[in-house]
Amino acid sequence: MKIVLLLLSLMALNTGFSQNSDITTNLYETYENYKESSLDKRRIKHHELQPLLIKHGANNAFTVKKVGESIEGRALNLISVGSGETNVLLWSQMHGNEPTATQAIFDILNFLASDDFQEEKKEILENLTIHFLPMLNPDGAERFQRRNLLGVDINRDAVRLQSPESKTLKYVRDSLNADFGFNLHDQSTYYNAERTEKPATISYLAPAFNYEKDISEKRGNAMRIIVFMNNIIQKYAPGQVGRYNDDFEPRAFGDNIQKWGTSTVLIESGGYANDVEKQEIRKLNYVSILSAIYTIAKENYKNIAIEEYEKIPENDRKLFDLKITNATYNLLGKDYILDFGINRLEVDKEGNNDFWYSSRIIDQGDLSTYYGYETLDASGYTIKQGKVYAESFEKMEDVLQLKPLELLKEGYTYVQVKNIPFNLLEFPLPVHLIAKTYLLPSLQLEVGVNPTFLLEKDGKPRYAVINGFLIDLMTGKGDFKNAMIYR
Ligand SMILES: [Zn+2]
């Protein structure tokens, strides 16, 4: 028994994980104590960060320094903490609509400012100086868009450096000559771990610094840190990690920062079932990045074998929000069996603080190589177009009095309303509103069409798909958000 235990502990030591597993578990379990609760959804803005920067700036342990400005004049701030020789630089949201890691950075700052985990924090802050550059593209964040105000993808501007945001990142990297870099992004929720139905909740890349994809010591260390973080994520989201293709992109920041001599890790936050605002993913960012910082401080990542990096499954993009298989679809009097891949696309409301859904059929046919966050086997069910409700209404409020489940059961998916307020873009009940003058086209399902239909068996509707949301008509169950308005 003793020998077995000794062997097990030796094995654990070899992989470099044993010393860190406890802190990881503790970080996960105590997360709520440090979560920055003022940043609770994805569409965060630059002004929301300012009180947090003032709070941390008042703490003697932190230095908050303005290091640049966006095109529209929003300050770019660098928050530094620690007194160690090893410099770690983390930057987030160079793409304005990729905020998950920005939130995680403020959680990490709260953790570092707290009185807890004294021993581990001493280790971290004596060995490292950590620099955070959150929300590198505040103008893009303001509009919840990828590009900056110049219309440029900052991640293709690492060499030409036309954007002030790009210049700032380059200047900060060079002036610190950072040993480690964390390049923090979000990716589409439709990425999956290759040949599995598991979403790529987190994807990693140790970017190449040349076309040959050579592995230098610096890049090798980035790979080791990734292997370390992958092991953490596997604990909380098993199978939900992907590895990005490492083709060299000479214009990208990750590739260049690797080239300039910083061990660079790209982290992409993807999707996680029933986590629209990505708050569970944010927590996984917090836990894995903090654990990575700890392993860099302790230098025990050095024992990790690089070969483990290649074993992480590749990223793929084969997920839909809803996948319907084997539905019978009648076209010109003939029946066909089709699968449908449906995505619920977000449309921002004015001010880019909130959104509604306008769903689309993304693909149809044999989709056997694809997966869904939600799937329905529609074998034996026939697709039918929903009808327009016989009675028409003066105003939208009247429709709110109807019982939508009863309507759907009777085959109605549209209700006619005379006066639809001009500023109304979406409707909260699972029936579409159509204006008096709107002529409903007959159902022809194809890529790009809004997925709205009934699935019938023996002439009776059993399921409804309304704006891409599946509703079980027997139980009324369905994670419905909004229907559309047609004028
Ligand atoms: Zn990005």
Side-chain angles (χ1 to χ4, degrees), residues 235-349:
K235 222 169 124 178
Y236 301 107
Q240 294 178 208
V241 177
R243 178 171 49 93
Y244 254 93
N245 175 306
D246 69 347
D247 285 349
F248 179 55
E249 168 50 75
R251 303 168 298 163
F253 263 105
D255 306 52
N256 279 289
I257 289 182
Q258 192 89 270
K259 188 163 132 186
W260 299 330
T262 296
S263 287
T264 307
V265 170
L266 168 76
I267 304 180
E268 298 269 1
S269 295
Y272 189 95
N274 305 314
D275 186 20
V276 171
E277 291 301 332
K278 301 177 84 159
Q279 296 300 294
E280 179 63 22
I281 310 178
R282 161 192 184 173
K283 180 177 177 179
L284 294 176
N285 265 264
Y286 165 87
V287 172
S288 60
I289 293 171
L290 251 182
S291 301
I293 286 172
Y294 187 53
T295 199
I296 291 170
K298 290 184 77 104
E299 296 195 337
N300 51 12
Y301 65 90
K302 288 182 173 171
N303 308 322
I304 297 171
I306 286 181
E307 295 73 48
E308 296 295 313
Y309 177 77
E310 300 286 334
K311 291 182 190 162
I312 301 172
E314 281 197 55
N315 244 11
D316 204 350
R317 193 175 175 147
K318 292 225 154 36
L319 264 175
F320 297 117
D321 284 320
L322 172 63
K323 183 187 167 187
I324 296 174
T325 59
N326 300 310
T328 303
Y329 176 60
N330 189 285
L331 183 66
L332 303 173
K334 231 185 129 183
D335 279 349
Y336 302 86
I337 302 294
L338 296 182
D339 305 333
F340 292 90
I342 290 165
N343 286 350
R344 298 161 196 147
L345 309 180
E346 295 180 3
V347 182
D348 273 34
K349 295 183 180 176

Side-chain angles (χ1 to χ4, degrees), residues 76-205:
L76 305 174
N77 289 291
L78 188 72
I79 307 124
S80 303
V81 56
S83 55
E85 283 196 357
T86 302
N87 279 295
V88 181
L89 172 63
L90 304 95
W91 61 97
S92 72
Q93 218 171 342
M94 70 162 67
H95 296 136
N97 57 354
E98 301 179 5
T100 304
T102 300
Q103 300 177 3
I105 283 178
F106 283 95
D107 302 338
I108 292 171
L109 290 172
N110 284 345
F111 168 86
L112 293 172
S114 76
D115 293 327
D116 316 328
F117 292 86
Q118 288 290 349
E119 204 179 305
E120 291 85 356
K121 269 195 318 223
K122 189 164 176 276
E123 190 97 35
I124 291 172
L125 300 176
E126 279 180 2
N127 289 302
L128 311 179
T129 308
I130 316 171
H131 311 269
F132 301 90
L133 181 41
M135 196 185 275
L136 188 63
N137 180 4
D139 300 348
E142 205 63 25
R143 298 159 175 85
F144 202 62
Q145 68 182 29
R146 177 181 178 86
R147 291 169 183 255
N148 68 2
L149 203 64
L150 188 61
V152 158
D153 180 342
I154 293 172
N155 209 22
R156 298 292 177 269
D157 195 33
V159 178
R160 190 169 286 187
L161 295 173
Q162 282 306 292
S163 304
E165 301 89 354
S166 313
K167 286 190 184 118
T168 299
L169 178 57
K170 167 87 163 107
Y171 156 77
V172 168
R173 205 265 13 139
D174 288 353
S175 59
L176 299 172
N177 196 16
D179 300 283
F180 288 88
F182 288 83
N183 185 12
L184 306 172
H185 292 252
D186 282 79
Q187 66 184 356
S188 160
T189 55
Y190 305 122
Y191 281 102
N192 63 310
E194 196 181 29
R195 287 194 291 279
T196 76
E197 62 182 2
K198 305 262 186 167
T201 300
I202 298 283
S203 291
Y204 292 114
L205 174 68

